[in-house]
Amino acid sequence: MHPVRTLSISIERHFDDVAAFLAEALNYPTWATGLSTGLAPSTQGSGAGPDEWIADAPGAGEGNVFIRFSPPNTFGIADHWVRLPDDTVIYVPLRVVRNGAGTTVSLTLFQLPGMDDAQFEADAEWVQRDLVKLKTVVEAE
């Protein structure tokens, strides 16, 4: 079992709007800085699996990362799986929850094997900055 931290942010937009925004893979580079260089659907021969998207993520080392997203749904589940160049898969649970007239978005971050406490803290700070960016982007729409 890995140590975890769940980070969240409240967004002044209706649940349906936030869930629909996060259901669209092409919206991720607008707020998830780990995908800031873009995201593209996989193509035959790209090394990606059939349901994966390709990203050139900062800090991933040599090569692309491949991302698989939960299918669009009405439950607010926006999980994704990031496959690194060495085939390590990182599971990223992301939830959209009704909160009165607004929405709370929560992301669970796992401290992976080989990640020291300082790296875990830096990852948590990065995720929180991304959630703030998500709030800014979604509330501006």
Side-chain angles (χ1 to χ4, degrees), residues 3-121:
V4 299
R5 184 172 306 167
T6 300
L7 304 150
S8 63
I9 195 152
S10 294
I11 299 177
E12 297 295 328
R13 286 294 298 268
H14 190 271
F15 169 88
D16 293 338
D17 298 333
V18 179
F21 182 84
L22 289 173
E24 173 54 59
L26 290 174
N27 287 334
Y28 279 72
T30 67
W31 66 274
T33 58
L35 305 175
S36 60
T37 58
L39 188 64
S42 65
T43 58
Q44 194 169 30
S46 67
D51 297 324
E52 291 181 315
W53 291 70
I54 302 168
D56 183 14
E62 193 91 13
N64 294 319
V65 296
F66 303 97
I67 304 160
R68 186 170 50 92
F69 295 94
S70 292
N73 62 79
T74 59
F75 306 109
I77 298 170
D79 295 358
H80 49 286
W81 296 259
V82 179
R83 184 167 54 87
L84 302 177
D86 68 0
D87 282 334
T88 298
V89 176
I90 301 169
Y91 172 49
V92 184
L94 183 62
R95 297 294 190 273
V96 182
V97 178
R98 295 175 198 276
N99 187 349
T103 304
T104 297
V105 174
S106 300
L107 186 147
T108 300
L109 182 66
F110 295 97
Q111 184 172 1
L112 301 174
M115 179 184 281
D116 65 29
D117 291 343
Q119 291 171 306
F120 187 50
E121 184 62 34

